[in-house]
Amino acid sequence: MSPPAFVRLVEVFDAPRERVFAAWTEPDELKSWWGPGRYKTTRADVDLRPGGRYELVLEPGAMHLVGEFCEIVPPERLVYTWQWVSGVPDTRESLVTVEFRDLGARTEVVLLHDSFAGPGPVDMYGAGWTSGLAKLRIHLGEEEAA
């Protein structure tokens, strides 16, 4: 049996939905948390509209990610393409869907990363998203950095 060709994570954050959506879509906020583990986003360009593009550069290693927004429903839902241009050996295009579910002062984030164009590893994306969401939790002030 082959491993699933998608990543699905569900996390609850102690912040209102509008705050979590802004952290996910505003360039200065993205630079404060986005990326796995020790990687830091040094450049974040975001044209937040359907058909608009985004571009993120992470260091060390000049990891370069680009994509296009397919659907934007503030502050409820984002759907965007994902493709590494450099710094990561997997350059398949894929799709990320993020739902921001209102729990009052808290927000449930449901993330689905799927529709990979062709076979290849997916588990590295799960590990990357898990560590990135931990950094988002710190950015939102829930816990201190280790």
Side-chain angles (χ1 to χ4, degrees):
M1 184 171 178
S2 61
F6 66 89
V7 172
R8 184 177 187 274
L9 297 171
V10 179
E11 297 273 344
V12 175
F13 295 91
D14 288 329
R17 181 166 66 165
E18 291 77 9
R19 174 77 182 95
V20 179
F21 186 87
W24 212 287
T25 57
E26 294 181 9
D28 286 342
E29 295 227 28
L30 283 167
K31 288 193 283 188
S32 294
W33 72 271
W34 203 93
R38 65 185 177 95
Y39 294 94
K40 177 156 179 58
T41 299
T42 57
R43 179 172 156 205
D45 298 328
V46 178
D47 182 7
L48 191 64
R49 61 181 177 83
R53 309 265 314 153
Y54 72 90
E55 185 172 358
L56 303 172
V57 176
L58 290 78
E59 298 290 344
M63 295 166 47
H64 186 188
L65 176 68
V66 298
E68 180 176 310
F69 292 103
C70 305
E71 181 182 348
I72 301 164
V73 183
E76 299 172 19
R77 182 176 163 92
L78 286 174
V79 180
Y80 52 92
T81 63
W82 169 296
Q83 187 168 28
W84 290 108
V85 175
S86 63
V88 175
D90 185 4
T91 58
R92 296 173 292 168
E93 187 173 84
S94 54
L95 192 69
V96 175
T97 302
V98 188
E99 295 180 2
F100 303 86
R101 297 181 178 167
D102 188 2
L103 303 178
R106 303 175 82 208
T107 303
E108 181 180 69
V109 171
V110 179
L111 181 140
L112 179 64
H113 191 160
D114 67 352
S115 300
F116 288 87
V122 175
D123 55 342
M124 68 179 187
Y125 291 96
W129 279 116
T130 297
S131 66
L133 293 178
K135 288 166 61 177
L136 174 59
R137 191 171 302 286
I138 293 165
H139 173 73
L140 294 170
E142 289 187 40
E143 53 191 56
E144 295 300 315

